[in-house]
Amino acid sequence: MIIKRISVKNFGRLHNRTMEFSPGINVLCGENESGKTTTHTFVKSMLYGIQRQRGRAAKKDAYTLYLPWENPGDYGGILWFENGGRNFRLTRNFYKENQMTELFCEDDGELMDVEAGDLEAVLGGISETVYENTVSVAQLKSTTGVELVREVQNYMASYQGAGDSSVDLGRTMQMLKMSRKGYQVQADKKKKETELEKEKLLSSMDYLKQELDDLNVKEQDLAGRYEKEEERGISAVEESLSALLSQKKKTDIIMAAFLILGVGGALAVAGFFKSILFAMIIGVAGILAAAGSYIMRLRIIEKLQNKERQKNRFLAKQEKLEWSRDSLREIRREKETALENITTEYQETEEHTYHPLAEEMEIEALNLAMTVIDRLSKDIHHQVGWKLRRRISQILGEITGGKYTEILIDADLHISVNTGERTVALENLSRGTVEQIYFSLRMAAGELLCGSEQLPVFLDEVFGMYDEERLASVLKWLAKEKRQVIICSCRQREMEILEKNGISYHKIVL
């Protein structure tokens, strides 16, 4: 890809400004605050748009930072570029009230559909992250961002497959971890709920057992009282009733006998002895004897009635005791049924605790997936990571004049240098050498991640720690690669070294 021309309508401090670029090395020079970084940001924004933040972050995001105070409706511009032998014109307006993106192919007059992904396809699927962490080196950001690790691993994964760079191992791993955490929270919650349920069931079981013990005691007490009442009360009353009935019968016989004897005796005396007085005496005596027997009979009847009432009271009391016993038995059966049901429920809950939860099975599956992805990532690193390391080593060897020719990178992209005599960790090297290593890493990663579609290299004030020798080596390497390079600088040093080494360049003054 080659940027041919940009036309900035309104973007930060740039207004109605047009700049022409050449296919090789371009030097965008100007004083500090003249618009070099703004131009750099404009190009990136034209290619990938400006993502607006929300809330407090919106006050300091790129959209707000570069929003022009005057004529905000013309917030944007035009970018002409060549890609794959075809010429395109990309027009954007970033203003929130009038957003617009238009991609036009000037060769065949085709208006392309940006929303459908035509711009992404023209850029070869190169993401904004790849762009920012490889060929686009912003001011004071010459080291790679942490997302470069994920992008390189992503490229390595797709390299082994069908070239589909949509697979994102790092993000996939992160999503799996988040899902696992969610399932773990659910599993812990369910286990806690199960334990609480078991405790509740055990408490109910203990309570029912205690109630059954109390009911058994009450039932035994009622049974004892029933037996005592039956033995001491009803039996004695019935014996008394039987005796009184016997006495009543005897009294009735005696009373009838006295009446018969008295009347009969009186009649006999009057008939045989012709003595009225004596007959009256015998009759009165018999009647008095019968009357005494009758009085005795009345007393016996009264006693019988009292005993009947006493018997009825005992029977009512027995009936009440029997009803209480039946009621206790019914309550006990209900409690026993409830205890049996709760015991069965507890056993089922206890058995269920030994079965894996659905969430635990999901966690196991996620752990397996994470293990596979981790192994895949390591395998990919071992299989193709050497390509990245070899290319970095080649670039570093060229720009250091052969001083450092081998870079070592582990699976986490921790970098060290083999000097031929010993291995030196990145943090133990000079800042200038570190800058060269990171430059090599960006350029090599850009080649791997961008594939055949090489984007222009944008270097915004990144050579501050380079001495003249280092800078000359880097510029020679860039010229040799025959790629479009845009160097932003507030000094003349880059142009002087280019001229000294006979390297042609295109100068753009801000």
Side-chain angles (χ1 to χ4, degrees):
M1 174 181 175
I2 296 174
I3 297 174
K4 301 173 68 176
R5 183 169 76 255
I6 63 173
S7 176
V8 185
K9 290 185 178 181
N10 268 314
F11 194 89
R13 64 177 60 254
L14 296 177
H15 308 284
N16 297 320
R17 186 65 184 267
T18 299
M19 303 178 202
E20 301 281 347
F21 296 91
S22 69
I25 295 178
N26 298 266
V27 179
L28 186 62
C29 58
E31 299 296 329
N32 289 330
E33 306 298 327
S34 62
K36 300 184 298 297
T37 298
T38 301
T39 303
H40 183 185
T41 306
F42 173 80
V43 172
K44 188 196 79 169
S45 301
M46 290 298 294
L47 293 175
Y48 296 100
I50 298 180
Q51 297 297 325
R52 296 188 61 199
Q53 303 297 321
R54 295 182 178 180
R56 295 181 179 179
K59 297 180 180 180
K60 298 181 180 180
D61 64 3
Y63 178 90
T64 304
L65 180 62
Y66 291 99
L67 177 66
W69 290 9
E70 298 181 1
N71 299 324
D74 289 332
Y75 184 17
I78 307 173
L79 171 67
W80 287 268
F81 65 95
E82 178 186 338
N83 190 53
R86 302 170 70 192
N87 294 291
F88 297 92
R89 183 187 70 213
L90 177 60
T91 305
R92 282 188 187 268
N93 190 327
F94 303 110
Y95 189 53
K96 61 181 180 179
E97 304 295 337
N98 190 28
Q99 287 186 351
M100 183 271 292
T101 302
E102 178 186 281
L103 179 62
F104 180 72
C105 180
E106 296 181 322
D107 294 329
D108 53 22
E110 178 185 1
L111 184 62
M112 308 185 76
D113 191 346
V114 176
E115 294 295 330
D118 286 351
L119 177 57
E120 182 181 358
V122 169
L123 295 177
I126 300 170
S127 68
E128 184 176 358
T129 299
V130 172
Y131 177 82
E132 287 187 333
N133 286 284
T134 56
V135 296
S136 175
V137 188
Q139 186 177 8
L140 301 179
K141 290 177 64 178
S142 60
T143 57
T144 57
V146 294
E147 291 192 3
L148 179 61
V149 175
R150 189 172 70 213
E151 293 289 348
V152 171
Q153 290 178 332
N154 191 36
Y155 166 80
M156 291 178 177
S158 62
Y159 184 88
Q160 290 291 78
D164 183 2
S165 60
S166 62
V167 180
D168 191 330
L169 293 180
R171 185 168 298 174
T172 301
M173 203 71 160
Q174 184 180 7
M175 291 175 64
L176 290 176
K177 288 180 179 179
M178 291 176 63
S179 298
R180 182 179 65 179
K181 184 177 180 180
Y183 282 120
Q184 188 64 57
V185 170
Q186 295 179 26
D188 293 341
K189 182 180 178 181
K190 284 191 174 182
K191 286 184 177 180
K192 186 175 180 179
E193 291 175 349
T194 301
E195 289 301 320
L196 290 174
E197 182 65 20
K198 287 172 61 178
E199 291 178 5
K200 182 179 177 181
L201 291 172
L202 282 174
S203 178
S204 298
M205 290 167 61
D206 292 339
Y207 182 75
L208 285 171
K209 288 177 180 178
Q210 184 61 46
E211 284 190 320
L212 284 171
D213 290 340
D214 294 340
L215 288 172
N216 287 330
V217 172
K218 290 180 180 179
E219 193 172 350
Q220 291 173 4
D221 180 63
L222 285 175
R225 289 167 59 188
Y226 184 89
E227 292 175 358
K228 289 179 181 179
E229 292 290 340
E230 188 174 14
E231 290 175 359
R232 298 178 183 179
I234 296 177
S235 297
V237 170
E238 287 181 345
E239 288 177 2
S240 297
L241 283 172
S242 178
L244 288 171
L245 287 172
S246 178
Q247 290 179 10
K248 179 176 175 295
K249 289 179 179 180
K250 290 178 181 180
T251 302
D252 289 342
I253 294 171
I254 293 171
M255 184 180 66
F258 279 131
L259 286 173
I260 293 171
L261 288 174
V263 174
L267 293 174
V269 170
F272 289 102
F273 297 100
K274 306 297 184 179
S275 175
I276 300 301
L277 178 62
F278 186 67
M280 291 179 62
I281 292 171
I282 292 174
V284 169
I287 291 171
L288 288 174
S293 299
Y294 180 74
I295 292 171
M296 185 179 293
R297 181 178 182 276
L298 291 177
R299 290 177 180 175
I300 292 172
I301 289 173
E302 184 179 359
K303 289 181 179 180
L304 280 171
Q305 290 175 345
N306 289 334
K307 289 299 180 180
E308 284 290 342
R309 285 193 293 271
Q310 187 177 0
K311 179 182 178 181
N312 290 334
R313 286 196 299 272
F314 278 124
L315 289 174
K317 196 171 183 179
Q318 285 288 81
E319 186 178 354
K320 186 177 180 181
L321 288 173
E322 185 64 29
W323 180 86
S324 297
R325 289 177 65 184
D326 292 340
S327 178
L328 286 176
R329 290 191 188 101
E330 182 64 27
I331 294 173
R332 178 164 55 81
R333 283 193 293 269
E334 291 178 358
K335 298 293 183 183
E336 287 174 345
T337 301
L339 178 61
E340 183 179 352
N341 292 337
I342 292 177
T343 302
T344 301
E345 185 178 354
Y346 178 81
Q347 291 173 348
E348 291 176 352
T349 304
E350 183 73 12
E351 292 175 359
H352 186 68
T353 57
Y354 295 104
H355 298 158
L357 298 172
E359 288 79 7
E360 290 178 326
M361 296 177 68
E362 291 289 346
I363 291 172
E364 184 177 352
L366 290 171
N367 286 334
L368 178 60
M370 291 169 65
T371 300
V372 172
I373 289 176
D374 183 63
R375 185 168 62 248
L376 174 64
S377 178
K378 291 179 179 178
D379 290 343
I380 290 171
H381 171 76
H382 291 308
Q383 292 175 16
V384 300
W386 64 272
K387 292 188 177 182
L388 177 63
R389 181 169 60 87
R390 183 182 65 178
R391 184 54 181 151
I392 295 173
S393 299
Q394 289 175 350
I395 297 173
L396 183 63
E398 293 183 33
I399 65 176
T400 60
K403 183 176 180 180
Y404 302 108
T405 58
E406 185 178 17
I407 288 290
L408 304 176
I409 307 176
D410 63 16
D412 297 320
L413 289 189
H414 295 151
I415 301 171
S416 59
V417 178
N418 182 10
T419 65
E421 298 178 354
R422 63 191 181 98
T423 300
V424 183
L426 188 68
E427 57 270 19
N428 295 327
L429 297 170
S430 67
R431 177 59 188 270
T433 302
V434 172
E435 292 281 356
Q436 289 177 308
I437 291 172
Y438 272 112
F439 174 83
S440 302
L441 174 58
R442 282 182 175 272
M443 296 302 103
E447 291 178 8
L448 290 174
L449 295 171
C450 298
S452 60
E453 189 54 57
Q454 297 293 330
L455 295 179
V457 178
F458 223 119
L459 305 173
D460 188 2
E461 299 284 6
V462 298
F463 298 125
M465 299 302 297
Y466 282 58
D467 55 27
E468 184 172 334
E469 182 179 356
R470 286 192 175 99
L471 180 54
S473 298
V474 169
L475 294 176
K476 289 178 181 178
W477 182 85
L478 289 170
K480 178 183 71 69
E481 292 297 307
K482 299 186 181 302
R483 297 178 60 178
Q484 185 179 41
V485 181
I486 302 172
I487 301 172
C488 298
S489 179
C490 61
R491 294 178 289 181
Q492 300 292 319
R493 190 171 63 141
E494 288 83 356
M495 290 182 287
E496 292 174 354
I497 293 176
L498 287 169
E499 292 173 0
K500 181 178 179 180
N501 288 274
I503 302 174
S504 61
Y505 67 93
H506 175 66
K507 180 179 179 180
I508 306 166
V509 180
L510 290 175

